[in-house]
Amino acid sequence: MMQPDSGYEDTQCLVIVGQDITEFNDPPKNAHLIKYLDLSYNQLKNVDGVRKFVGLRDLILDNNNIADHELRLPLLPFLTTLSLNKNRLANIDLLLDKLLKNTPVLEFLSLIGNPACPNELSNGDEDDYQSYRYVVINKLPYLRFLDSRPITPEERLSARKKGKLIKIVKALKSEDLLHSDGEEKDAQSPIVPGTTPLTQEQSMDVKLGYGKRKYRYQGKNSEGNKFIGDGDL
């Protein structure tokens, strides 16, 4: 757990850790003076009350139950550190769009333990994790530290080259997945200009004659949140 910076005064810090609170909608009157807010190890599903903390520099939300659409971050113009470890964030693109819009000077971000963050330690897939880093770094220009390690100049340069491409390929794979559910899809009978369209009975005869097609995707990274590896670029 991160601790308040030594430069902060007690009146500038608010720590509510391990209290099993499920909502945070009643901030203190001095919320606008708080620079460090730690709400870790609770049962929060949203952080709507954070909108009153306009001067925040550090926001720690580890070990809660925050999902993609429940993370309604307000504009936090001074926020430099955001820790969201071990929540339920699965859509990395949606999250990054929110951060780009509402945390314009973010420097430190940690997403370890979320579905959106590939776990290089448990599955050993360094390529997936590195591709995830490229996407995040390319999207957030001021970021200096992501998860467990700093961002190097070489990594930032690679992110500029590969980040957008990874997002495009990931979108294409997601489109393929729409046809990989195992359902059979009937082939459509072609309509030739100048001819009469087939009746339903005739159309069924054509379908039986040609059989039926299956759309199947058998790529290595067929799960929805997988990223391509360096070797695919």
Side-chain angles (χ1 to χ4, degrees):
M1 185 193 312
M2 300 180 64
Q3 297 297 326
D5 186 275
S6 58
Y8 293 144
E9 299 177 1
D10 290 343
T11 56
Q12 296 175 318
C13 301
L14 178 60
V15 178
I16 307 176
V17 173
Q19 302 300 307
D20 291 328
I21 59 174
T22 58
E23 58 183 24
F24 183 67
N25 297 321
D26 188 22
K29 294 181 179 180
N30 69 332
H32 63 288
L33 300 176
I34 301 296
K35 295 183 178 181
Y36 181 97
L37 177 60
D38 189 345
L39 300 173
S40 300
Y41 294 90
N42 286 295
Q43 301 296 325
L44 294 173
K45 293 185 177 180
N46 66 71
V47 287
D48 293 345
V50 172
R51 64 184 180 276
K52 298 291 186 180
F53 294 79
V54 294
L56 271 184
R57 304 286 180 88
D58 301 277
L59 177 57
I60 316 301
L61 298 169
D62 299 340
N63 292 83
N64 279 287
N65 290 315
I66 304 170
D68 294 316
H69 294 285
E70 279 71 41
L71 184 62
R72 294 179 288 270
L73 283 176
L75 177 62
L76 298 170
F78 306 107
L79 193 74
T80 59
T81 298
L82 176 61
S83 187
L84 285 161
N85 298 321
K86 294 188 178 180
N87 279 278
R88 298 191 295 116
L89 301 168
N91 189 328
I92 190 65
D93 295 321
L94 178 62
L95 174 61
L96 293 178
D97 286 342
K98 292 179 181 180
L99 296 182
L100 182 64
K101 178 181 179 181
N102 296 316
T103 59
V105 296
L106 191 65
E107 298 180 1
F108 302 87
L109 174 65
S110 190
L111 302 173
I112 296 171
N114 285 281
C117 176
N119 191 337
E120 60 176 331
L121 297 179
S122 65
N123 59 27
D125 197 336
E126 172 64 23
D127 287 344
D128 265 5
Y129 181 72
Q130 186 60 65
S131 295
Y132 145 85
R133 286 181 64 88
Y134 286 152
V135 170
V136 176
I137 295 168
N138 180 65
K139 189 77 171 185
L140 303 177
Y142 296 105
L143 208 61
R144 296 169 48 199
F145 202 101
L146 176 60
D147 298 334
S148 59
R149 63 181 192 237
I151 298 168
T152 65
E154 294 79 14
E155 189 177 25
R156 191 177 302 279
L157 180 61
S158 294
R160 291 173 183 170
K161 295 178 180 179
K162 301 178 181 180
K164 291 182 179 179
L165 178 60
I166 292 171
K167 185 175 180 180
I168 291 172
V169 174
K170 184 176 159 226
L172 292 174
K173 286 188 175 183
S174 296
E175 185 175 332
D176 285 342
L177 286 172
L178 294 177
H179 304 294
S180 67
D181 56 5
E183 295 182 359
E184 295 182 345
K185 301 186 181 293
D186 294 332
Q188 299 294 322
S189 301
I191 299 176
V192 180
T195 63
T196 303
L198 297 175
T199 66
Q200 183 176 4
E201 183 176 326
Q202 291 171 325
S203 179
M204 289 187 66
D205 290 340
V206 172
K207 292 175 185 176
L208 291 173
Y210 284 102
K212 298 181 180 179
R213 293 183 297 177
K214 290 185 179 179
Y215 292 84
R216 189 183 301 274
Y217 177 68
Q218 297 178 335
K220 174 184 176 183
N221 295 323
S222 61
E223 288 91 355
N225 198 41
K226 288 290 186 179
F227 295 85
I228 66 170
D230 288 342
D232 298 326
L233 301 177

